[in-house]
Amino acid sequence: MESDMAVEMLHDLETRNFHVKQLIMDNDSTTFAKAKASFDPNIKKISDFNHTKKNLISKLYDIKKQKKYPLLGPKTIQHLSKCFAYAVKSNSDTTTLQKNLECIPSHVFGNHNSCQSQWCRYLQDPENYRPVNLPYGKYLSGMDLFNDLQHIFTDLAKSASQLTNMGSTQSNENFNRIVACKNPKNFFYSGSESTAFRVAAAVAHKNIGHSTVGKASQIINSKM
């Protein structure tokens, strides 16, 4: 249903003389495939930064659960996700980003031969550097853990071309939360006009802000 709605909105925008050339989205391959098939075969997909980062964190926690690595705890996962975020945000060149992503596992294991000086603090000050963001302030260890991390970040590096110019669906997610607050799914409001008014209130809240209620009250009172 979600993919059908997305294609319908793309066609609706085109009837209003807005032709969409790029979609900022998560890893929903069904929606993108339908958009290419029934809207524009040349439409491009831009990965959403937040979804990609969440997918990475989810994979790291899955490995922790499956392999029970004691060093792969919340602190390590948070640091690895920060390394990923910094690499993506600071590199617009595909080749450079690919190299930076590939060297993250080696970086947290104490091998800085492939690191670059602009982001690796060890290269900036080798004598005083300590990996304070890792457990016990020490580098990670264990060949199995290294291989698993290398596999994850190598896969990310292969998608470097999609990660260099990432977009954000944060605005959409914010609007969805506003609608969910005013029109919660656990109540059946769609049987009356209540749903339309509640969604309209969410749109006004998104476009105008918290002053929406006060302005609506003023208009209502002026007509009474």
Side-chain angles (χ1 to χ4, degrees):
M1 184 177 67
E2 182 179 340
S3 57
D4 292 334
M5 290 175 61
V7 173
E8 183 180 343
M9 286 188 288
L10 289 171
H11 284 292
D12 180 60
L13 287 170
E14 190 171 37
T15 61
R16 304 182 191 187
N17 296 322
F18 294 100
H19 188 81
V20 180
K21 295 182 179 181
Q22 297 176 334
L23 286 177
I24 301 175
M25 57 187 299
D26 56 13
N27 295 322
D28 184 359
S29 57
T30 303
T31 298
F32 186 62
K34 284 193 174 183
K36 293 192 71 171
S38 58
F39 177 68
D40 182 359
N42 297 316
I43 195 168
K44 295 181 180 180
K45 173 186 173 182
I46 297 179
S47 297
D48 172 62
F49 174 77
N50 290 323
H51 280 91
T52 305
K53 184 179 176 181
K54 287 178 181 178
N55 287 339
L56 168 62
I57 293 174
S58 179
K59 289 180 180 179
L60 293 172
Y61 272 108
D62 285 342
I63 291 177
K64 172 180 171 56
K65 183 177 179 180
Q66 294 170 7
K67 303 291 185 69
K68 301 187 184 302
Y69 292 124
L71 293 178
L72 191 61
K75 186 173 184 178
T76 301
I77 291 175
Q78 183 182 19
H79 181 60
L80 289 169
S81 67
K82 283 185 177 180
C83 290
F84 166 77
Y86 185 83
V88 171
K89 294 290 186 178
S90 61
N91 290 285
S92 58
D93 177 70
T94 301
T95 304
T96 304
L97 175 58
Q98 184 174 357
K99 291 179 179 178
N100 285 337
L101 290 174
E102 288 174 343
C103 75
I104 288 177
S106 297
H107 172 77
V108 295
F109 272 76
N111 182 353
H112 303 281
N113 292 333
S114 300
C115 294
Q116 296 187 1
S117 58
Q118 65 265 32
W119 64 270
C120 178
R121 293 183 180 179
Y122 171 85
L123 296 181
Q124 296 173 9
D125 189 4
E127 294 184 2
N128 298 314
Y129 176 79
R130 297 291 182 276
V132 293
N133 294 313
L134 293 174
Y136 313 112
K138 298 180 179 180
Y139 291 115
L140 302 183
S141 59
M143 201 61 194
D144 290 338
L145 175 58
F146 176 79
N147 290 334
D148 284 334
L149 293 180
Q150 191 175 42
H151 177 73
I152 290 177
F153 282 95
T154 299
D155 283 345
L156 284 172
K158 291 177 181 177
S159 305
S161 59
Q162 296 181 11
L163 301 177
T164 49
N165 295 302
M166 300 187 78
S168 174
T169 59
Q170 194 65 33
S171 180
N172 292 21
E173 300 291 345
N174 175 257
F175 177 66
N176 287 339
R177 284 194 291 270
I178 296 174
V179 173
C181 289
K182 298 184 182 297
N183 188 41
K185 295 180 180 179
N186 57 327
F187 292 101
F188 183 67
Y189 289 121
S190 59
S192 66
E193 294 181 349
S194 177
T195 291
F197 282 107
R198 288 173 179 274
V199 174
V203 173
H205 187 168
K206 176 67 176 176
N207 292 334
I208 300 174
H210 293 288
S211 62
T212 300
V213 177
K215 291 181 179 180
S217 297
Q218 290 177 0
I219 294 173
I220 293 172
N221 292 332
S222 65
K223 294 181 179 181
M224 293 180 64

